[in-house]
Amino acid sequence: MNPISTFVTKFDQLNLWDKKVELERKEHLKIKGSIDTNLYFVKSGSLRIYVLEEFEENCIRFGYKNNFIAALDSFITEKPSDLYIQAIKKTELKVIRKTTFMRFIQSSIEYSNTWQQMLGELIYQQMERERDILTSSPLERYKRVLARSPQLFQEIPNKHIASYLRMTPETLSRLKKS
């Protein structure tokens, strides 16, 4: 069983979920300037995390079925976030508060180690992405993301993937055809 499934099963068994949230397509879960110390489990649908810079939206992460998503900057610091989280399509989420989650994590060395492993993987993914954006050609970025996350291309519209890869939708379209 993967770590996310393990946590979700335990949260269900221990009745740790705070609430459920349903979002319609294009509805925001979080906007810039809000404080959010919740962790969200995506039961269905998909979301994007993005920043807005001078009227340009830059996708930095996606969340889809059976994954956790959070405004990680605010989750960690408990300060206002610079991030937006928006549903790409109708989405259903389960919510666990940070205090509940941390109490759970601290209740067992195994859970704590699993959480540390998950954070380590997240950091590694972010570092890989940053390196790709800074040093790789559009074609290389496309190929790496396709190899790493094929589900992305089935769940997420091309315009958001293009933003994530820091290229135009037209460039992404040409790369997909070649």
PDB file of all heavy atoms in Angstrom, residues 93-110:
ATOM      1  N   LEU A  93     -13.165  16.947  -2.396  1.00  0.00           N
ATOM      2  CA  LEU A  93     -12.011  16.879  -1.504  1.00  0.00           C
ATOM      3  C   LEU A  93     -12.428  16.471  -0.099  1.00  0.00           C
ATOM      4  O   LEU A  93     -13.533  16.793   0.341  1.00  0.00           O
ATOM      5  CB  LEU A  93     -11.346  18.260  -1.399  1.00  0.00           C
ATOM      6  CG  LEU A  93     -10.923  18.937  -2.691  1.00  0.00           C
ATOM      7  CD1 LEU A  93     -10.797  20.433  -2.496  1.00  0.00           C
ATOM      8  CD2 LEU A  93      -9.615  18.349  -3.169  1.00  0.00           C
ATOM      9  N   LYS A  94     -11.507  15.806   0.590  1.00  0.00           N
ATOM     10  CA  LYS A  94     -11.631  15.590   2.022  1.00  0.00           C
ATOM     11  C   LYS A  94     -10.600  16.495   2.685  1.00  0.00           C
ATOM     12  O   LYS A  94      -9.484  16.649   2.168  1.00  0.00           O
ATOM     13  CB  LYS A  94     -11.342  14.135   2.394  1.00  0.00           C
ATOM     14  CG  LYS A  94     -12.422  13.162   2.007  1.00  0.00           C
ATOM     15  CD  LYS A  94     -12.054  11.773   2.511  1.00  0.00           C
ATOM     16  CE  LYS A  94     -13.148  10.769   2.308  1.00  0.00           C
ATOM     17  NZ  LYS A  94     -12.786   9.446   2.871  1.00  0.00           N
ATOM     18  N   VAL A  95     -10.959  17.065   3.827  1.00  0.00           N
ATOM     19  CA  VAL A  95     -10.119  18.061   4.481  1.00  0.00           C
ATOM     20  C   VAL A  95      -9.704  17.574   5.869  1.00  0.00           C
ATOM     21  O   VAL A  95     -10.540  17.101   6.642  1.00  0.00           O
ATOM     22  CB  VAL A  95     -10.882  19.395   4.648  1.00  0.00           C
ATOM     23  CG1 VAL A  95      -9.994  20.470   5.251  1.00  0.00           C
ATOM     24  CG2 VAL A  95     -11.469  19.858   3.319  1.00  0.00           C
ATOM     25  N   ILE A  96      -8.401  17.716   6.159  1.00  0.00           N
ATOM     26  CA  ILE A  96      -7.912  17.460   7.508  1.00  0.00           C
ATOM     27  C   ILE A  96      -7.123  18.691   7.951  1.00  0.00           C
ATOM     28  O   ILE A  96      -6.308  19.225   7.190  1.00  0.00           O
ATOM     29  CB  ILE A  96      -7.068  16.162   7.600  1.00  0.00           C
ATOM     30  CG1 ILE A  96      -6.702  15.854   9.050  1.00  0.00           C
ATOM     31  CG2 ILE A  96      -5.844  16.217   6.702  1.00  0.00           C
ATOM     32  CD1 ILE A  96      -6.123  14.456   9.270  1.00  0.00           C
ATOM     33  N   ARG A  97      -7.418  19.165   9.157  1.00  0.00           N
ATOM     34  CA  ARG A  97      -6.708  20.331   9.695  1.00  0.00           C
ATOM     35  C   ARG A  97      -5.271  19.965  10.042  1.00  0.00           C
ATOM     36  O   ARG A  97      -4.972  18.836  10.419  1.00  0.00           O
ATOM     37  CB  ARG A  97      -7.404  20.854  10.950  1.00  0.00           C
ATOM     38  CG  ARG A  97      -8.715  21.550  10.685  1.00  0.00           C
ATOM     39  CD  ARG A  97      -9.246  22.185  11.963  1.00  0.00           C
ATOM     40  NE  ARG A  97      -9.469  21.175  12.985  1.00  0.00           N
ATOM     41  CZ  ARG A  97     -10.658  20.713  13.346  1.00  0.00           C
ATOM     42  NH1 ARG A  97     -11.738  21.189  12.786  1.00  0.00           N
ATOM     43  NH2 ARG A  97     -10.761  19.799  14.279  1.00  0.00           N
ATOM     44  N   LYS A  98      -4.395  20.943   9.954  1.00  0.00           N
ATOM     45  CA  LYS A  98      -2.983  20.733  10.255  1.00  0.00           C
ATOM     46  C   LYS A  98      -2.788  20.212  11.674  1.00  0.00           C
ATOM     47  O   LYS A  98      -1.994  19.290  11.887  1.00  0.00           O
ATOM     48  CB  LYS A  98      -2.196  22.025  10.058  1.00  0.00           C
ATOM     49  CG  LYS A  98      -0.711  21.880  10.364  1.00  0.00           C
ATOM     50  CD  LYS A  98       0.029  23.192  10.172  1.00  0.00           C
ATOM     51  CE  LYS A  98       1.508  23.033  10.489  1.00  0.00           C
ATOM     52  NZ  LYS A  98       2.242  24.293  10.277  1.00  0.00           N
ATOM     53  N   THR A  99      -3.513  20.772  12.627  1.00  0.00           N
ATOM     54  CA  THR A  99      -3.333  20.333  14.023  1.00  0.00           C
ATOM     55  C   THR A  99      -3.679  18.858  14.176  1.00  0.00           C
ATOM     56  O   THR A  99      -2.954  18.111  14.840  1.00  0.00           O
ATOM     57  CB  THR A  99      -4.191  21.176  14.990  1.00  0.00           C
ATOM     58  OG1 THR A  99      -5.548  21.176  14.530  1.00  0.00           O
ATOM     59  CG2 THR A  99      -3.674  22.601  15.091  1.00  0.00           C
ATOM     60  N   THR A 100      -4.754  18.433  13.558  1.00  0.00           N
ATOM     61  CA  THR A 100      -5.160  17.023  13.609  1.00  0.00           C
ATOM     62  C   THR A 100      -4.134  16.155  12.898  1.00  0.00           C
ATOM     63  O   THR A 100      -3.731  15.102  13.400  1.00  0.00           O
ATOM     64  CB  THR A 100      -6.543  16.840  12.959  1.00  0.00           C
ATOM     65  OG1 THR A 100      -7.483  17.723  13.582  1.00  0.00           O
ATOM     66  CG2 THR A 100      -7.025  15.409  13.067  1.00  0.00           C
ATOM     67  N   PHE A 101      -3.711  16.615  11.733  1.00  0.00           N
ATOM     68  CA  PHE A 101      -2.743  15.863  10.943  1.00  0.00           C
ATOM     69  C   PHE A 101      -1.422  15.709  11.704  1.00  0.00           C
ATOM     70  O   PHE A 101      -0.864  14.609  11.782  1.00  0.00           O
ATOM     71  CB  PHE A 101      -2.505  16.559   9.600  1.00  0.00           C
ATOM     72  CG  PHE A 101      -1.486  15.875   8.744  1.00  0.00           C
ATOM     73  CD1 PHE A 101      -1.786  14.688   8.097  1.00  0.00           C
ATOM     74  CD2 PHE A 101      -0.219  16.420   8.594  1.00  0.00           C
ATOM     75  CE1 PHE A 101      -0.840  14.046   7.312  1.00  0.00           C
ATOM     76  CE2 PHE A 101       0.734  15.783   7.812  1.00  0.00           C
ATOM     77  CZ  PHE A 101       0.421  14.595   7.169  1.00  0.00           C
ATOM     78  N   MET A 102      -0.925  16.786  12.286  1.00  0.00           N
ATOM     79  CA  MET A 102       0.362  16.736  12.996  1.00  0.00           C
ATOM     80  C   MET A 102       0.269  15.845  14.235  1.00  0.00           C
ATOM     81  O   MET A 102       1.213  15.117  14.558  1.00  0.00           O
ATOM     82  CB  MET A 102       0.842  18.140  13.352  1.00  0.00           C
ATOM     83  CG  MET A 102       1.180  18.994  12.131  1.00  0.00           C
ATOM     84  SD  MET A 102       2.242  18.203  10.889  1.00  0.00           S
ATOM     85  CE  MET A 102       3.769  18.086  11.784  1.00  0.00           C
ATOM     86  N   ARG A 103      -0.845  15.891  14.920  1.00  0.00           N
ATOM     87  CA  ARG A 103      -1.037  15.004  16.073  1.00  0.00           C
ATOM     88  C   ARG A 103      -0.968  13.547  15.630  1.00  0.00           C
ATOM     89  O   ARG A 103      -0.351  12.708  16.279  1.00  0.00           O
ATOM     90  CB  ARG A 103      -2.388  15.305  16.742  1.00  0.00           C
ATOM     91  CG  ARG A 103      -2.352  15.265  18.233  1.00  0.00           C
ATOM     92  CD  ARG A 103      -3.637  15.644  18.946  1.00  0.00           C
ATOM     93  NE  ARG A 103      -4.826  15.900  18.169  1.00  0.00           N
ATOM     94  CZ  ARG A 103      -5.323  17.123  17.951  1.00  0.00           C
ATOM     95  NH1 ARG A 103      -4.739  18.188  18.434  1.00  0.00           N
ATOM     96  NH2 ARG A 103      -6.430  17.258  17.256  1.00  0.00           N
ATOM     97  N   PHE A 104      -1.601  13.257  14.490  1.00  0.00           N
ATOM     98  CA  PHE A 104      -1.568  11.909  13.925  1.00  0.00           C
ATOM     99  C   PHE A 104      -0.137  11.514  13.564  1.00  0.00           C
ATOM    100  O   PHE A 104       0.327  10.431  13.924  1.00  0.00           O
ATOM    101  CB  PHE A 104      -2.471  11.823  12.688  1.00  0.00           C
ATOM    102  CG  PHE A 104      -2.318  10.547  11.918  1.00  0.00           C
ATOM    103  CD1 PHE A 104      -2.941   9.383  12.341  1.00  0.00           C
ATOM    104  CD2 PHE A 104      -1.532  10.502  10.772  1.00  0.00           C
ATOM    105  CE1 PHE A 104      -2.786   8.191  11.641  1.00  0.00           C
ATOM    106  CE2 PHE A 104      -1.374   9.318  10.065  1.00  0.00           C
ATOM    107  CZ  PHE A 104      -2.002   8.163  10.500  1.00  0.00           C
ATOM    108  N   ILE A 105       0.572  12.370  12.856  1.00  0.00           N
ATOM    109  CA  ILE A 105       1.949  12.092  12.424  1.00  0.00           C
ATOM    110  C   ILE A 105       2.847  11.831  13.631  1.00  0.00           C
ATOM    111  O   ILE A 105       3.687  10.932  13.622  1.00  0.00           O
ATOM    112  CB  ILE A 105       2.509  13.265  11.574  1.00  0.00           C
ATOM    113  CG1 ILE A 105       1.767  13.388  10.260  1.00  0.00           C
ATOM    114  CG2 ILE A 105       4.008  13.132  11.341  1.00  0.00           C
ATOM    115  CD1 ILE A 105       1.788  12.170   9.382  1.00  0.00           C
ATOM    116  N   GLN A 106       2.660  12.613  14.679  1.00  0.00           N
ATOM    117  CA  GLN A 106       3.506  12.491  15.870  1.00  0.00           C
ATOM    118  C   GLN A 106       3.127  11.314  16.760  1.00  0.00           C
ATOM    119  O   GLN A 106       3.845  10.978  17.688  1.00  0.00           O
ATOM    120  CB  GLN A 106       3.467  13.802  16.666  1.00  0.00           C
ATOM    121  CG  GLN A 106       4.129  14.937  15.904  1.00  0.00           C
ATOM    122  CD  GLN A 106       3.778  16.306  16.440  1.00  0.00           C
ATOM    123  OE1 GLN A 106       3.005  16.447  17.379  1.00  0.00           O
ATOM    124  NE2 GLN A 106       4.338  17.343  15.826  1.00  0.00           N
ATOM    125  N   SER A 107       2.029  10.649  16.439  1.00  0.00           N
ATOM    126  CA  SER A 107       1.573   9.530  17.268  1.00  0.00           C
ATOM    127  C   SER A 107       2.354   8.241  17.000  1.00  0.00           C
ATOM    128  O   SER A 107       2.226   7.278  17.750  1.00  0.00           O
ATOM    129  CB  SER A 107       0.078   9.268  17.038  1.00  0.00           C
ATOM    130  OG  SER A 107      -0.140   8.689  15.756  1.00  0.00           O
ATOM    131  N   SER A 108       3.156   8.232  15.942  1.00  0.00           N
ATOM    132  CA  SER A 108       3.869   7.011  15.577  1.00  0.00           C
ATOM    133  C   SER A 108       5.136   7.349  14.807  1.00  0.00           C
ATOM    134  O   SER A 108       5.110   8.193  13.904  1.00  0.00           O
ATOM    135  CB  SER A 108       2.947   6.133  14.722  1.00  0.00           C
ATOM    136  OG  SER A 108       3.653   5.291  13.870  1.00  0.00           O
ATOM    137  N   ILE A 109       6.219   6.679  15.151  1.00  0.00           N
ATOM    138  CA  ILE A 109       7.474   6.842  14.413  1.00  0.00           C
ATOM    139  C   ILE A 109       7.265   6.457  12.942  1.00  0.00           C
ATOM    140  O   ILE A 109       7.796   7.112  12.044  1.00  0.00           O
ATOM    141  CB  ILE A 109       8.579   5.969  15.068  1.00  0.00           C
ATOM    142  CG1 ILE A 109       9.246   6.719  16.215  1.00  0.00           C
ATOM    143  CG2 ILE A 109       9.616   5.500  14.082  1.00  0.00           C
ATOM    144  CD1 ILE A 109      10.100   7.893  15.777  1.00  0.00           C
ATOM    145  N   GLU A 110       6.493   5.410  12.704  1.00  0.00           N
ATOM    146  CA  GLU A 110       6.225   4.961  11.334  1.00  0.00           C
ATOM    147  C   GLU A 110       5.531   6.055  10.530  1.00  0.00           C
ATOM    148  O   GLU A 110       5.915   6.343   9.394  1.00  0.00           O
ATOM    149  CB  GLU A 110       5.358   3.698  11.358  1.00  0.00           C
ATOM    150  CG  GLU A 110       5.008   3.172   9.982  1.00  0.00           C
ATOM    151  CD  GLU A 110       4.011   2.011  10.035  1.00  0.00           C
ATOM    152  OE1 GLU A 110       3.768   1.461  11.117  1.00  0.00           O
ATOM    153  OE2 GLU A 110       3.470   1.689   8.964  1.00  0.00           O
TER     154      GLU A 110
END
